Amino acid sequence: MMQQVQVGVGVLIVRGNRILLGKRRGSHGAGTWAPPGGHLDFGETIEDCARREVLEETGIVIRDIQRGPYTTNVFPEVNRHFVTLFVTATDSEGEPTLLEPARCDGWEWHSWNELPTPLFEPMHSLCKSGFTLEQR
């Protein structure tokens, strides 16, 4: 069986020098910190995916979405390969609500300079690339 590369969208909701992260549960990467996001649906724009995933996961409405870098990560434990397209959203409305408790333990704002560990592999790869919020 031929494996397919999947496309994910990671959303860095920026407020000041802080971003919103949640502790993953249930799927690959359980126990790691990641921004809201998910799979890009067929025919969906990256920005629409970002808006949909953030609203579904946190209840926050995002605007001013800017495309950022991407990462590529293989998860051998679940036989999956993801290319994650990161975006930043510097205009958002509302406070995070835990809307998918089977997938996340809760949402917290974290300083970009003091991110929690362990980070979800795509987020870890983004940080290792040298990306900073000032580059957005």
Side-chain angles (χ1 to χ4, degrees):
M1 179 169 94
M2 186 174 168
Q3 295 291 7
Q4 298 292 320
V5 175
Q6 296 179 296
V7 178
V9 175
V11 185
L12 304 176
I13 304 172
V14 181
R15 290 188 180 169
N17 191 41
R18 300 181 312 150
I19 62 168
L20 186 65
L21 296 175
K23 196 170 217 182
R24 292 173 62 90
R25 47 180 319 183
S27 64
H28 64 286
T32 62
W33 292 91
H39 299 102
L40 183 67
D41 288 342
F42 182 83
E44 188 174 42
T45 68
I46 296 164
E47 294 81 2
D48 285 347
C49 177
R51 284 185 201 91
R52 175 182 57 77
E53 288 288 353
V54 168
L55 189 60
E56 287 174 0
E57 294 178 9
T58 72
I60 292 176
V61 174
I62 60 171
R63 294 176 288 275
D64 192 21
I65 300 166
Q66 300 294 315
R67 293 184 185 188
Y70 70 90
T71 61
T72 181
N73 299 94
V74 176
F75 298 89
E77 67 278 7
V78 291
N79 201 29
R80 295 172 97 178
H81 179 179
F82 277 92
V83 172
T84 302
L85 309 172
F86 283 92
V87 300
T88 59
T90 54
D91 183 12
S92 60
E93 182 181 312
E95 287 302 319
T97 302
L98 182 59
L99 298 177
E100 296 180 336
R103 295 181 177 196
C104 179
D105 284 334
W107 297 105
E108 297 177 9
W109 294 101
H110 290 273
S111 166
W112 181 261
N113 300 322
E114 297 176 20
L115 296 174
T117 57
L119 290 172
F120 186 47
E121 195 54 40
M123 187 67 190
H124 180 69
S125 294
L126 178 67
C127 291
K128 283 192 329 188
S129 78
F131 175 81
T132 65
L133 290 181
E134 290 76 33
Q135 293 173 326
R136 64 184 194 295

